[in-house]
């Protein structure tokens, strides 16, 4: 295998595929990219046991020659070193030449590197065939769906199914659900397909994957029962599903509320941030005291002291109410909505409450209050 | 004690004094600032056992009132929480009021915080009297003196005297010397004083202190035998000296060389950075191969592969020579010089070599080569 390639496009391909590398993998092959020079482009594959990332650097891009002077073949080359070398080389073009199947020589006319490489027969078989239900969604929409929900998944290993985001298509709706059991995020969007689909995917993995999207890709989503495959542009990503039934249903979200507070999102975030200062924990307990005369937010850091401030609100409807909550949960929910104003709706002091975007009813952030002593 | 104070100036004072706080100090008083409201301003003191930082927020600054509506007194208040509260408060002015000697109430008209505080009698006695030899130096000059040398001090605890930078005034010269025993940095500047002075100060501490300089301060430097005191603007910093005689003399630096290489600094840095990629260590071994026909820089990462590149040089004088060195040491030395071009001068393959700024002979960076197998 040999090729001369545009440096920027090569680096871009390596950085995409790099999302499929786990740097601490115990299997030496899986620390490598599989590079394969084909008649349509250079194919780069990475696999870490759960996730496969496959991407192609095409021979030409917008009429510009990207790869020239190539001979077909394949090889396994250390992903970290190859990426760093390509990143730091100064030439606009570089050549990669595999010598005796054991050394890859990389040369930009000034710097020359020699990296050991392995025969690609030693790489596991990768199956990216889309055999299951498939539908399309815009990448911006899928990114928002993930970013507004995935943060609510459990980030500890205590209950694997809660590390997942549940993705479900049914009756023309595509719904994402994530919960760590103390809070829950749900977003539902309409899709132009009557497909039925139910997959639990690692929230961390899918959050990584949506970072690869660019331009206005349509993303083709396919679930085969054992894995979910996303195809976009020159890239295909496959991720193993988390087994078991997702333990939370849509119906957990209350529909009727007795109290409603509308407030500017950044004012709320800043106030939570300030009154949380005295907490020794990342998860400060913050209390909202609401009545028709005004809204106060406060926290007590016990022996560290206490803080409070008045909030100017857009609207409050309801009787007097005090609700205490995990500051981090409410901040993350408000940030995920990305709205100028947010609405908090309560059933009662110790019942789960919701954080909503008054202008977008596709997303609900549900949070369980905390007991204060 | 109470005062109403300009928020920005208060925060600035707290951030300066904060350099004297060690957040993991076991003594609760030393996690506090000592605040003292006097007739000339608010005095903020921090002390961590080795370093004292004292600074004053004056009543007026350029005719602008900074502090008003004050009553004299003093108190100890947690440094971290006070700084974070003042940083995050939104008002341009805030009031601090000590109630019953036990609670400090901080109020910007919107947020109100209550912090526990301690009686200032519980604070250790701080002596900042300048009893020893004293001279003045411009802060820019002192900063450069420190930044061009202190990085070469030992950063492990194995030999405390080598954690120091040796500062010596003699015969109208002020010299800084730092070494970790594998490399050495020296810089000497002329001072307008015939003072004699010899102090070993923690390289880490003095690197922190020079970051506090701003404007065109003259810094008054005083060594009392047990500590060094630096005064500048409204701030006084005192640091305990490291005992013992500094083990390295000026005379270790060779004066006559057989080989000389002049090269563009950023070209050399980039080349070292690139050929070091394959090293698994932070301290890659890099080899320079020089002769009249050309200069090559190379490294071998053993099982990881190897890299090499040609350097275009400004000038090389000498026979054929190969020298291997710690890439980090040469990179740090070149960066410390901050020059466009650098000169490397060698005695022979295994003798210490120097890195110099051809336009500034005040500073010498000496490096011991490494043996390659």
């Amino acid at each position: 295998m040999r090729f001369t390639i545009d440096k920027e496009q090569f680096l871009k391909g390596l950085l995409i595929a790099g999302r499929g590398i786990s740097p601490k993998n115990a299997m030496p092959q899986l620390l490598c990219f599989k590079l394969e020079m084909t008649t349509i482009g250079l194919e780069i594959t990475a696999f870490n046991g759960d996730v496969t990332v496959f991407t192609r650097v095409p021979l030409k891009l917008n009429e510009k020659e990207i790869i020239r002077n190539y001979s077909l073949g394949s090889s396994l080359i250390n992903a970290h070193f190859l990426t760093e070398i390509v990143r730091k080389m100064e030439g606009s073009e570089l050549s990669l030449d595999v010598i005796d199947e054991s050394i890859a020589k990389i040369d930009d006319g000034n710097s020359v590197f020699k990296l050991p490489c392995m025969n690609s027969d030693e790489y596991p078989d990768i199956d990216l065939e889309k055999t299951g239900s498939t539908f399309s969604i815009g990448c911006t929409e899928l990114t928002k769906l993930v970013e507004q929900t995935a943060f609510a998944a459990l980030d500890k290993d205590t209950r694997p199914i809660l590390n997942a985001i549940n993705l479900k298509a049914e009756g023309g709706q595509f719904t994402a659900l994530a919960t760590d059991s103390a809070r829950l995020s749900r977003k539902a969007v309409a899709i132009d397909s009557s497909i039925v689909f139910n997959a639990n995917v690692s929230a961390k993995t899918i959050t990584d994957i949506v970072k690869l999207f660019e331009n206005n890709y349509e993303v083709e989503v396919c679930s085969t029962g054992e894995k979910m495959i996303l195809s976009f542009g020159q890239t295909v990503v496959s991720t193993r599903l988390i087994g078991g039934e997702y333990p939370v249903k849509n119906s957990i979200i209350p529909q009727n509320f007795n109290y409603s507070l509308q407030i500017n999102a950044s004012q709320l975030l800043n106030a939570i941030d300030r009154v949380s200062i005295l907490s020794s924990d990342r998860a400060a307990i913050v209390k909202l005291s609401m009545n028709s005369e005004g809204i106060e937010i406060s926290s007590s850091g016990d022996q560290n002291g206490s803080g409070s401030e008045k909030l100017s609100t857009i609207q409050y409807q309801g009787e007097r109410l005090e609700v205490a909550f995990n500051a981090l949960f409410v901040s993350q929910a408000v940030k995920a909505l990305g709205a100028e104003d947010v609405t908090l709706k309560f059933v009662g002091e110790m019942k789960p409450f919701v954080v909503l975007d008054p202008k977008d009813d596709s997303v609900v952030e549900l949070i369980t209050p905390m007991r204060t002593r």
Side-chain angles (χ1 to χ4, degrees), chain A residues 145-146 149 165-168 174-178 185-188:
Chain A
L145 192 93
V146 168
T149 55
I165 171 173
N166 175 246
L167 297 172
K168 198 172 188 171
F174 187 45
T175 307
L177 209 60
S185 295
R186 186 198 67 188
K187 186 176 172 85

Side-chain angles (χ1 to χ4, degrees), chain A residues 38-307:
Chain A
T38 73
T39 52
I40 53 170
L42 174 69
E43 297 179 346
I44 311 173
T45 307
F47 173 63
N48 65 15
D50 288 328
V51 177
T52 307
V53 182
F54 166 94
T55 193
R56 184 183 291 120
V57 183
L59 298 182
K60 282 193 178 184
L61 199 68
N62 308 325
E63 300 302 304
K64 192 192 159 198
E65 192 178 50
I66 301 296
I67 302 177
R68 63 184 177 87
N69 194 8
Y70 61 89
S71 69
L72 306 185
S74 63
S75 191
L76 308 184
I77 305 180
N78 182 282
H80 167 71
F81 290 130
L82 181 60
T83 306
E84 285 312 295
I85 288 169
V86 174
R87 190 201 302 274
K88 290 187 172 168
M89 276 186 151
E90 287 182 351
S92 61
E93 204 183 48
L94 58 89
S95 299
L96 189 149
D97 207 339
V98 174
I99 301 162
D100 294 339
E101 294 201 355
S102 64
I103 299 281
K105 185 178 156 207
I106 305 150
D107 189 339
D108 73 345
N110 184 41
S111 321
V112 181
F113 286 89
K114 288 178 182 156
L115 288 181
C117 49
M118 279 187 269
N119 194 302
S120 56
D121 294 347
E122 300 187 35
Y123 207 69
D125 283 333
I126 302 291
D127 175 13
L128 294 172
E129 209 186 331
K130 292 159 216 155
T131 52
S133 342
T134 298
F135 70 96
S136 279
I137 183 169
C139 70
T140 317
E141 204 166 17
L142 183 55
T143 302
K144 217 166 171 190
L145 192 93
V146 168
E147 288 181 347
Q148 292 191 325
T149 55
F151 69 92
L154 189 66
D155 63 357
K156 286 182 289 237
D157 289 339
T158 44
R159 221 179 136 193
I161 188 77
L162 295 189
N163 299 144
I165 171 173
N166 175 246
L167 297 172
K168 198 172 188 171
E170 209 173 36
Q173 268 221 330
F174 187 45
T175 307
L177 209 60
T179 182
D180 62 6
S181 83
R183 57 173 163 174
L184 173 145
S185 295
R186 186 198 67 188
K187 186 176 172 85
V189 295
I191 46 168
D192 192 19
S193 162
S194 61
I195 203 167
V196 177
F197 173 115
N198 193 349
N200 301 321
V201 184
S202 155
K204 200 175 157 307
T205 301
I206 194 139
T207 303
D208 276 355
I209 295 172
V210 299
K211 290 184 186 136
L212 296 177
F213 296 160
E214 56 175 54
N215 309 323
N216 292 312
Y217 291 139
E218 275 292 296
V219 184
E220 197 177 70
V221 182
C222 169
S223 168
T224 69
E226 286 197 341
K227 59 195 177 208
M228 188 170 79
I229 299 175
L230 301 178
S231 313
F232 47 96
Q234 299 282 346
T235 302
V236 182
V237 181
S238 152
T239 173
R240 208 162 54 84
L241 301 187
I242 297 179
E245 198 177 343
Y246 199 71
V248 180
K249 298 267 172 278
N250 244 325
S251 53
I252 201 176
I253 301 172
Q255 298 300 319
N256 299 304
F257 301 93
N258 303 316
Y259 310 83
S260 169
L261 170 66
Q262 192 174 343
I263 188 166
N264 176 273
S266 65
Q267 199 206 354
L268 179 60
L269 287 173
N270 288 338
I272 290 176
D273 187 35
R274 262 192 301 275
V275 299
S276 310
I277 293 172
L278 299 174
S279 162
S280 2
D281 246 296
R282 215 167 82 95
I285 301 179
V286 162
K287 190 165 73 180
L288 264 181
S289 308
M290 296 163 273
N291 64 50
S292 53
E293 272 138 51
I295 311 293
E296 194 185 71
I297 187 162
S298 63
S299 84
S300 160
D302 301 320
Q303 77 280 22
N304 296 333
S306 64

Side-chain angles (χ1 to χ4, degrees), chain A residues 257-264 288-296 311-323 342-349:
Chain A
F257 301 93
N258 303 316
Y259 310 83
S260 169
L261 170 66
Q262 192 174 343
I263 188 166
N264 176 273
L288 264 181
S289 308
M290 296 163 273
N291 64 50
S292 53
E293 272 138 51
I295 311 293
E296 194 185 71
L311 293 175
S312 55
T313 50
I314 298 165
Q315 198 178 49
Y316 178 64
Q317 287 169 341
E319 303 287 304
R320 178 178 207 87
L321 179 70
E322 288 200 345
V323 176
V342 293
T343 305
L344 281 73
K345 290 189 176 178
F346 306 89
V347 178
E349 198 182 336

Side-chain angles (χ1 to χ4, degrees), chain A residues 351-370:
Chain A
K351 302 277 191 208
F353 61 95
V354 295
V355 185
L356 305 170
D357 176 352
K359 293 183 180 158
D360 175 7
D361 62 2
S362 73
V363 51
V364 182
E365 310 286 355
L366 181 77
I367 295 166
T368 309
M370 294 184 82

